[in-house]
Amino acid sequence: MHSFFSAEHLSSLLLQYGYGAIGVVVMLESMGLPLPAETLLIGSALFCATTHKLSIAGVMIAGVTGAIMGDNFGYLIGRRLGLKLLQKHGPKIGLTSERLLLGRYVFFQYGGPVVFLGRFVAVLRMFVALLAGANHMPWHTFLWYNALGGVCWAGGYTLCTYLLGNEIFKLSGPLAIVAGCCAVTVIGTSFLFLKKNEKRLTEEALKAAEQNEHLRIPSA
């Protein structure tokens, strides 16, 4: 599956299937599968800016629709399976015991807004819907934050990348190189910041779980 959904293969999928490929990949990642949906959205936006073979509005609609649908499917799966089965089978899709604990800790601390904010953190984006269902978050609350997060994440990332790409490609020579390097630096710095905070949150969750029985998953 990893080779099938590699960045190279996704590029060919984009050329062949366009908006459908975007919607499906974003939907599957939102359901908990380890797919590069964010990379695909950014790549699709740049594809629009450079080739104009796809409409940026179509990419945004496909991304937002896939995000909302995938999260709702993930919510239903999490609600159906429950925490014990996620604990047992979660590692098969990357939901390790530490990440499960991290998700429960964040839900316990912040409630509904984590569904919105989780869209912008890679490790939470894949599992937030499963965790919301497994923790029995009210569906109407989940739906509101899920829709808002999907619009801001998929729509916002796509539009900003498209506008930035258009501006960079209008430049030429050394100025374009400098602008490109700045963009790469910002993205790299953001990635490192998120990874550092993921580790910190995980450590806090582990400590909190030792003192709070509500975060522990009862043994069968």
Side-chain angles (χ1 to χ4, degrees), residues 80-119:
R80 183 78 174 179
L81 294 180
L83 287 170
K84 290 182 181 179
L85 285 179
L86 285 181
Q87 185 182 41
K88 181 178 179 181
H89 300 290
K92 297 176 184 177
I93 58 172
L95 184 57
T96 62
S97 58
E98 285 192 349
R99 286 178 172 176
L100 181 58
L101 184 57
L102 171 61
R104 284 176 58 73
Y105 171 73
V106 174
F107 268 103
F108 184 80
Q109 291 290 101
Y110 306 108
V114 74
V115 176
F116 171 79
L117 296 174
R119 269 281 161 202

Side-chain angles (χ1 to χ4, degrees), residues 124-161:
L124 290 179
R125 182 170 60 249
M126 287 170 49
F127 308 121
V128 70
L130 290 170
L131 292 167
N135 284 286
H136 294 273
M137 173 182 284
W139 181 76
H140 62 277
T141 302
F142 171 80
L143 181 62
W144 163 249
Y145 286 108
N146 163 48
L148 186 62
V151 170
C152 293
W153 173 71
Y157 269 32
T158 303
L159 182 59
C160 289
T161 302

Side-chain angles (χ1 to χ4, degrees), residues 25-32 66-67 70-71 74 119 125-126 129 153:
V25 171
V26 173
M27 180 182 70
L28 292 176
E29 190 208 46
S30 299
M31 291 171 61
D71 266 357
R119 269 281 161 202
R125 182 170 60 249
M126 287 170 49
W153 173 71

